[in-house]
Amino acid sequence: MSLQIYSTLSGKKEEFVPLRGGEVRIYVCGVTVYDSSHIGHARALLTFDVIYRYLKFLDYRVIFVRNFTDLDDKIIRRAQEEGTTSEAIAAKYIEEFYQDSHALGLLRPAQEPKATEHIPEIIALIRRLEEKGMAYQVDGDVFFPVERFPEYGKLSRRKPEELEAGARIEVDERKRSPLDFALWKRSKEGEPSWESPWGTGRPGWHIECSAMSTRYLGQPFDIHGGGLDLVFPHHENEIAQSEAAFDVPLARYWIHNGFLNVNHEKMSKSLGNIYTVREILDLYEPEGLRHYFLSSHYRSPIDFSRQGLEEAEKAVERIYETMDRIQRCLPTPGPSRPDAGILEGFRREMDDDFNTPRAIALIFDEVRSLNRLLDEGKTAGLAARSLALRAVGETLGLLQRPPEMFLMNRRERWIKKQGLSHAEIEDLIRKRDRVRKEKRYQEGDRIREELRARGIVLEDTPGGTIWKVK
RNA sequence: GGCGGCGUACCCAAGUGGUUAAGGGAGAGGUCUGCAAAACCUCGAUGCGGCGGUUCGAAUCCGCCCGCCGCCUCCA
């Protein structure tokens, strides 16, 4: 069995066959940099981060491109509100994006093109469409004539007639059809603008992705991805433009991640239910968030909850505890190779449309089995299995830190929140040790209870008493 | 109105025709321990929103009904 990918275009799982041998070219629509990234963005980013990692795990040479939309109405509006330039707004949120990406443990794409740096490519593409009669100009605006592209609607399974019937937006009278969309917009006073054959203006939203994907990956390329909400109209329009221009498919497989909801509703500013990446990572471990997302399938909706995140964090802690035990038992792993059975099992699950929930279940099966070996004091095969576990974790972007660091971070976060200090806790532990030596256990248990009431649990190990967060 | 999705144990969540319905969290009992914690062992849905149907056999396919949601407009 080989990798099967669900493609929005065909509406079913298909065997993945790269267009060029061992190489995979993938383009994912990135963020519009006009505000802080929220956890919905994080879900999309993590989804494709894992897809990227898994393709590499399969030994493909992967060319991963993810753009920044650094030019659009929202950025311009934001700049006006703040009395600055759209360049400054974009630069600020790109910087924030990188901080968030780093915190989330995202692998960096090979290319991260920005719309503003590809104006010549965009103009060339529009000109090509114009030459083919697939663009028309009205007063410095250039539109794409949807009715001239018969396959329009094939990705989102919509018929143009039905769309027109249901349209309830204000229609620009100058367009031939309400569905036609802007390739180029004449710029208003004070907006960023570039010289073009149609006068001073700026690109429409969809065209940048067509221009940049072709620039870095050619056409067709293998995988195009993004959030489910981009299917229509963004990706539909990209297909129309690119395929009208070059008469070959834009991309072979179309992957879309499901939404992240809050209280069963989509996150939106008007509902005030947006959580930014930074505020969540302020409260929870990044790997907890990653685990939380990966324990649902990438195409399913997730209803975000604090409880879910807390449970996920405990789950990650369980894995780290086991890795910590292994490390103490086998300080140097030796020349072992990763256990092939575990890797095969992982591959079997992931080959089925990146089934991360099953992959995670497999990790926990392995954790239990390893703990049993450790309990029994057996070390045969331990090194190979822990190496495999680490490889699997790495492919999911989990288990990337030394175990003690994860455990320590959780503790630090907790005591800070509780207003406790190390010294205070350690004093109590020493005091408890003293009374225990004198067998005054009741007194010792009182100290334990006192700490437990503040979320600290004590573990008496052969090496002394350690403490953890409940 | 059109298109699409979802409803599985206390919570989260896999599973889309066939032995005992994954895994995590919470819970109960046990082993270990001075007592705990961690770990391990055991238990936990005779049933997968409801009602019919197809089939030797369905959580899985079909129909109807109930409930929830998304897209059709910028949006990850």
Side-chain angles (χ1 to χ4, degrees):
Chain A
M1 206 54 181
S2 60
L3 176 59
Q4 308 286 311
I5 295 181
Y6 178 92
S7 176
T8 309
L9 190 58
S10 63
K12 57 189 182 199
K13 286 181 197 172
E14 297 178 61
E15 183 179 358
F16 178 68
V17 183
L19 293 160
R20 287 185 200 157
E23 183 178 276
V24 181
R25 290 166 289 159
I26 173 168
Y27 184 92
V28 174
C29 290
V31 294
T32 300
V33 280
Y34 75 105
D35 206 345
S36 299
S37 297
H38 59 245
I39 51 176
H41 295 123
R43 185 184 188 193
L45 293 164
L46 287 168
T47 296
F48 290 99
D49 184 63
V50 169
I51 288 172
Y52 179 37
R53 286 169 186 265
Y54 186 61
L55 290 168
K56 294 197 341 177
F57 173 86
L58 293 178
D59 279 330
Y60 286 116
R61 191 164 67 256
V62 188
I63 307 174
F64 177 29
V65 180
R66 186 184 58 216
N67 72 297
F68 283 112
T69 296
D70 61 344
L71 179 67
D72 100 326
D73 294 345
K74 292 190 291 290
I75 298 173
I76 292 169
R77 196 190 325 132
R78 187 79 188 238
Q80 283 164 354
E81 282 165 10
E82 298 191 9
T84 180
T85 62
S86 52
E87 289 86 346
I89 293 291
K92 175 180 170 191
Y93 290 108
I94 285 172
E95 172 57 26
E96 254 198 29
F97 179 88
Y98 279 124
Q99 288 168 8
D100 291 345
S101 296
H102 180 74
L104 288 168
L106 298 181
L107 256 31
R108 193 102 180 237
Q111 298 288 342
E112 298 173 279
K114 302 181 181 90
T116 54
E117 291 172 4
H118 295 79
I119 303 296
E121 287 90 339
I122 290 169
I123 290 173
L125 181 56
I126 299 173
R127 290 215 60 156
R128 188 180 172 95
L129 286 166
E130 216 174 19
E131 281 158 19
K132 299 189 76 168
M134 298 304 283
Y136 61 95
Q137 190 197 157
V138 187
D139 308 328
D141 284 341
V142 182
F143 297 103
F144 182 91
V146 166
E147 74 278 7
R148 300 207 56 201
F149 185 73
E151 291 183 291
Y152 194 80
K154 67 178 175 180
L155 182 70
S156 53
R157 290 190 182 68
R158 281 164 223 267
K159 297 189 182 77
E161 314 86 74
E162 289 166 357
L163 285 166
E164 287 188 55
R168 46 194 162 97
I169 44 159
E170 257 182 70
V171 175
D172 187 333
E173 294 290 316
R174 302 167 308 155
K175 292 198 287 191
R176 291 182 195 164
S177 152
L179 285 180
D180 293 355
F181 53 91
L183 297 167
W184 188 263
K185 296 174 166 181
R186 186 174 65 180
S187 52
K188 302 188 187 79
E189 191 58 35
E191 288 180 355
S193 60
W194 287 263
E195 287 306 318
S196 81
W198 316 284
T200 310
R202 60 189 171 97
W205 174 36
H206 315 292
I207 197 73
E208 66 178 65
C209 288
S210 285
M212 295 189 291
S213 61
T214 303
R215 160 83 168 73
Y216 294 98
L217 299 174
Q219 184 176 330
F221 54 91
D222 296 293
I223 298 172
H224 193 126
L228 198 58
D229 54 340
L230 296 181
V231 173
F232 188 88
H234 184 55
H235 289 163
E236 195 71 69
N237 290 352
E238 272 186 61
I239 287 176
Q241 294 160 353
S242 292
E243 300 190 359
F246 297 102
D247 301 304
V248 290
L250 175 57
R252 176 73 182 81
Y253 304 87
W254 289 79
I255 301 181
H256 295 97
N257 66 275
F259 259 83
L260 182 77
N261 300 319
V262 172
N263 293 129
H264 307 286
E265 287 171 310
K266 185 170 163 170
M267 277 198 300
S268 77
K269 298 227 158 145
S270 54
L271 288 165
N273 56 0
I274 295 210
Y275 293 93
T276 62
V277 170
R278 32 196 56 204
E279 73 185 305
I280 288 303
L281 292 187
D282 218 40
L283 298 168
Y284 302 96
E285 289 300 311
E287 284 174 286
L289 183 64
R290 190 182 271 261
H291 182 281
Y292 178 56
F293 287 159
L294 297 184
S295 33
S296 296
H297 186 85
Y298 76 88
R299 284 190 282 117
S300 307
I302 292 181
D303 194 47
F304 182 76
S305 78
R306 299 281 183 114
Q307 189 193 335
L309 258 184
E310 271 156 31
E311 288 176 5
E313 201 167 275
K314 282 182 205 166
V316 175
E317 176 162 310
R318 178 165 152 81
I319 308 172
Y320 268 127
E321 289 277 12
T322 300
M323 294 183 67
D324 195 35
R325 287 182 77 186
I326 292 169
Q327 212 167 64
R328 280 201 298 260
C329 168
L330 288 176
T332 48
S336 303
R337 301 171 67 85
D339 184 277
I342 296 170
L343 297 183
E344 270 165 35
F346 174 66
R347 186 169 171 163
R348 192 173 52 243
E349 306 301 3
M350 290 294 281
D351 269 354
D352 183 15
D353 196 28
F354 311 103
N355 195 328
T356 54
R358 290 196 81 95
I360 284 175
L362 189 136
I363 290 177
F364 284 102
D365 286 338
E366 193 55 28
V367 162
R368 174 176 297 105
S369 157
L370 285 165
N371 277 326
R372 189 158 44 205
L373 284 185
L374 289 159
D375 280 356
E376 290 166 358
K378 295 177 184 163
T379 54
L382 206 58
R385 292 169 66 176
S386 79
L387 280 174
L389 194 59
R390 210 177 279 276
V392 165
E394 186 186 329
T395 306
L396 297 176
L398 294 168
L399 314 180
Q400 300 190 98
R401 290 182 286 175
E404 65 276 11
M405 194 184 283
F406 177 88
L407 302 171
M408 193 182 78
N409 276 6
R410 269 201 87 197
R411 283 196 312 224
E412 294 298 328
R413 202 190 283 279
W414 181 260
I415 65 170
K416 199 170 150 192
K417 196 169 142 194
Q418 295 292 306
L420 290 162
S421 73
H422 282 274
E424 197 177 341
I425 294 166
E426 277 149 23
D427 276 352
L428 285 167
I429 289 176
R430 269 195 297 275
K431 192 171 157 199
R432 175 168 169 271
D433 279 344
R434 276 199 303 277
V435 300
R436 284 176 72 223
K437 282 209 183 70
E438 297 162 18
K439 301 232 184 312
R440 287 150 62 194
Y441 290 120
Q442 280 195 341
E443 213 170 313
D445 288 350
R446 256 203 308 280
I447 294 170
R448 191 213 294 284
E449 282 313 310
E450 188 187 329
L451 283 168
R452 179 195 290 277
R454 297 208 261 176
I456 305 287
V457 286
L458 300 184
E459 280 185 35
D460 296 321
T461 72
T465 300
I466 60 170
W467 61 275
K468 297 198 301 204
V469 172
K470 177 92 176 97

